[in-house]
Amino acid sequence: MGFARACSVALVGVEGVVVEVQADLEPGVAAFTLVGLPDKSLVESRDRVRAAVVNSGAEWPQKKLTVGLSPASVPKSGSGFDLAVACAVLGAAERIDPAMVADVVMIGELGLDGRVRPVRGVLPAVLAAAEAGYEQVVVPEQTAGEAALVPGISVLGVRSLRQLIAVLCDEPVPDEPAHAQGRPDAMLAGLMIPGTGLGAGLAPAAARGDGHRPDLADVAGQLRPRQALEVAAAGGHHLLLSGPPGAGKTMLAERLSAVLPPLTRQESLEVTAVHSVAGILPPGEPLVSRAPYCAPHHSATMQSLVGGGNGIPRPGAVSLAHRGVLFLDEAPEFSGKALDALRQPLESGHVVVARAAGVVRLPARFLMVLAANPCPCGRHTLTGAGCECPPSVVRRYQARLSGPLLDRVDLRVEVEPVDRADLLGQGGRGESTEVVAARVRDARARAAERLAGTPWTTNSEVPGHELRTRLLMAPGALAGAERDLERGILTARGLDRVLRVAWTVADLRGADRPDASDVAVALELRTGIQRGVPMEAGER
């Protein structure tokens, strides 16, 4: 009787569980049994592994073979266990030393010819292996760069099972031909889910392919919305842009992700792990360093927004926009059920999806931008534009954005139509993305210095209790906000969000703490009621 074990990783959402792959050989009729809650694609690995082993020059054991995946209570899915199953079988057959593979984590799919194909979710899998104390991993060569992002772990990238056998047996490593130059690498197909590459909207200009990057200087006029965009980026505040069609709401939202600061190392790993599991990580770019941008269509279902699907829930749009921007264009056209599902992640920064197959916690700390027309035809706020929508239709259309959802939106700005002077450039071009992004970085650095030693890094994350007790404002600064609270214009949550915006406005102008004018600007951005104060965000 022969026995050997290797290790692999099962992904549950974006978190990994190390799985011990055990192979046992006993005398009897040749058979291959796979146990341990495998799914359909994993059950089919029996045929893939057998063909790969034979075509790699090794002998397949003609005995009763049982492969167990432990812990047996964790559902396993995908083809990433093939490499570990093959090495465990070869170890049990004594083709390789069982001690050489006992503590090595192996991730990869096997082709029938023995080539090792890449799979999704390598980064979170290697992170789980490192947290479990493993020091060596074997991955497909195409994903070795992604696995190497995890510190303190040795990564071996292989092209074929034949190469891995040679390395484990200390034999000369055979050369494997690389893919033909000038042609796309067919092996990378396993990293991308069909239809999700450009559709996920990792960057607003990703689909153009001409190297052009959207710039804030392209936006004509719109001084107040531009300043609100700057406040949103500096403090991580959610934003509602309302106005007639063609005023520039989408242009502004597309340029927000470029204004956000580059991701930190920890944030990059979080975003890359989600994108790797979702199958939208661009080949050749193992680390996402810029804030992502996700703009789902208004026909999106609740499951596509917050996560779901058959079996173990998969990341939705709120997770793909983690540490970035989630843009909901034509927001009233989304279903009310889908929009109200955003309430939990807007408050907590994560989403918990419960399904029959299990409960998954997915990261979802994003900056939400809503764009809405004033009525179905979009001409309700235009003088002499001929809006024929009855008042009841206008009220019903605007009520599609529920009060509890809007209460979580810090900034609400009216985007007016562009006049002829601004459109023709007679008023001069606005500031570029580079200039605004520099001010945003300075404001975030000021906030991070103030919040040092706390779990928060941006003003939008600070709880209201801290804002009212520890982070005190200038004397008399809250008089206007208190009046609005007494009149019912603000809720208790709304007051906390006004305080957060006021701190961001103060950070943008370099002040030590907010004064009455900063609170007035925050109230105007929150309620839309003119307060008679100039917008000073961004000025020195």
Side-chain angles (χ1 to χ4, degrees):
M1 181 180 70
F3 176 84
R5 62 185 179 91
C7 295
S8 191
V9 178
L11 290 177
V12 182
V14 294
E15 298 177 355
V17 178
V18 176
V19 173
E20 189 176 90
V21 180
Q22 303 170 345
D24 178 69
L25 285 175
E26 295 180 356
V29 179
F32 190 168
T33 305
L34 184 63
V35 297
L37 284 184
D39 71 342
K40 180 64 175 178
S41 61
L42 186 50
V43 169
E44 293 174 350
S45 69
R46 295 179 299 184
D47 300 316
R48 291 195 300 270
V49 170
R50 182 187 293 111
V53 168
V54 173
N55 290 326
S56 297
E59 182 179 352
W60 183 261
Q62 298 300 319
K63 295 181 179 180
K64 181 182 178 182
L65 172 61
T66 303
V67 174
L69 308 176
S70 180
S73 59
V74 177
K76 292 97 182 167
S77 61
S79 56
F81 294 86
D82 289 2
L83 203 58
V85 171
C87 288
V89 171
L90 292 174
E94 298 183 352
R95 170 63 179 86
I96 59 180
D97 185 1
M100 295 294 295
V101 297
D103 295 319
V104 179
V105 176
M106 302 181 182
I107 305 164
E109 176 186 333
L110 285 176
L112 300 184
D113 57 354
R115 288 184 300 171
V116 180
R117 303 180 64 93
V119 295
R120 298 186 298 272
V122 167
L123 177 58
V126 177
L127 284 170
E131 292 176 359
Y134 290 88
E135 299 178 350
Q136 292 181 315
V137 296
V138 178
V139 298
E141 186 181 51
Q142 293 87 345
T143 57
E146 182 181 345
L149 296 174
V150 181
I153 199 162
S154 175
V155 178
L156 173 62
V158 295
R159 293 184 183 177
S160 67
L161 179 61
R162 188 181 299 106
Q163 285 186 338
L164 180 57
I165 294 174
V167 171
L168 295 175
C169 296
D170 198 17
E171 299 172 355
V173 179
D175 291 332
E176 295 290 346
H179 73 282
Q181 296 295 328
R183 297 174 54 188
D185 189 357
M187 301 289 283
L188 297 176
L191 296 178
M192 302 288 290
I193 298 177
T196 60
L198 297 177
L202 289 180
R208 300 185 183 181
D210 56 2
H212 175 75
R213 296 185 65 86
D215 195 288
L216 269 177
D218 302 333
V219 181
Q222 305 298 359
L223 177 61
R224 184 55 59 89
R226 287 170 59 101
Q227 292 168 330
L229 202 75
E230 183 176 342
V231 173
H237 306 289
H238 306 303
L239 173 65
L240 168 63
L241 300 172
S242 58
K249 301 186 295 294
T250 303
M251 286 187 68
L252 288 164
E254 287 181 342
R255 285 149 179 78
L256 179 55
S257 61
V259 177
L260 294 175
L263 301 178
T264 64
R265 176 73 176 185
Q266 180 61 34
E267 292 172 346
S268 295
L269 290 177
E270 294 175 5
V271 174
T272 303
V274 175
H275 290 186
S276 179
V277 171
I280 61 174
L281 193 63
E285 298 180 18
L287 186 66
V288 179
S289 58
R290 297 294 304 175
Y293 171 90
C294 188
H297 191 259
H298 59 257
S299 61
T301 62
M302 183 184 71
Q303 289 77 12
S304 67
L305 282 181
V306 301
N310 297 327
I312 297 296
R314 301 184 60 83
V318 296
S319 297
L320 300 183
H322 181 58
R323 301 295 182 183
V325 177
L326 176 66
F327 176 46
L328 302 183
D329 200 4
E330 305 294 345
E333 300 295 340
F334 283 79
S335 70
K337 187 177 180 181
L339 289 175
D340 288 337
L342 300 176
R343 297 184 195 176
Q344 180 205 2
L346 285 175
E347 286 290 330
S348 62
H350 64 267
V351 60
V352 179
V353 183
R355 295 291 185 269
V359 179
V360 173
R361 185 180 186 272
L362 300 170
R365 186 169 297 281
F366 55 90
L367 197 164
M368 182 180 68
V369 179
L370 303 175
N373 294 327
C375 67
C377 75
R379 300 190 297 270
H380 178 65
T381 56
L382 299 179
T383 304
C387 175
E388 299 179 354
C389 299
S392 60
V393 173
V394 176
R395 287 195 301 269
R396 193 159 50 245
Y397 185 80
Q398 295 178 351
R400 293 182 181 179
L401 299 178
S402 65
L405 177 65
L406 291 180
D407 200 32
R408 290 166 168 81
V409 178
D410 304 340
L411 314 173
R412 306 172 190 178
V413 182
E414 290 287 337
V415 183
E416 303 291 341
V418 184
D419 57 29
R420 180 168 57 91
D422 288 330
L423 192 60
L424 298 179
Q426 298 175 4
R429 299 187 69 188
E431 292 179 317
S432 65
T433 297
E434 184 179 356
V435 174
V436 177
R439 284 202 300 266
V440 169
R441 285 195 300 270
D442 293 341
R444 287 218 175 189
R446 192 172 290 110
E449 182 180 357
R450 180 175 63 251
L451 299 173
T454 69
W456 318 294
T457 56
T458 60
N459 293 322
S460 62
E461 301 173 4
V462 183
H465 175 73
E466 293 288 326
L467 292 170
R468 294 188 297 270
T469 58
R470 192 170 71 87
L471 302 177
L472 300 179
M473 298 189 175
L478 291 177
E482 292 171 353
R483 286 194 299 268
D484 284 1
L485 183 64
E486 293 175 355
R487 295 170 183 171
I489 300 176
L490 282 180
T491 63
R493 179 190 288 119
L495 177 62
D496 290 343
R497 292 187 175 274
V498 166
L499 300 182
R500 295 167 184 167
V501 175
W503 274 104
T504 301
V505 175
D507 288 336
L508 281 169
R509 67 182 184 87
D512 293 334
R513 58 178 178 171
D515 55 18
S517 63
D518 296 326
V519 176
V521 170
L523 285 170
E524 182 174 330
L525 290 173
R526 170 78 183 183
T527 62
I529 302 174
Q530 298 293 330
R531 306 283 168 164
V533 293
M535 179 78 75
E536 296 182 351
E539 295 185 3
R540 291 289 183 264

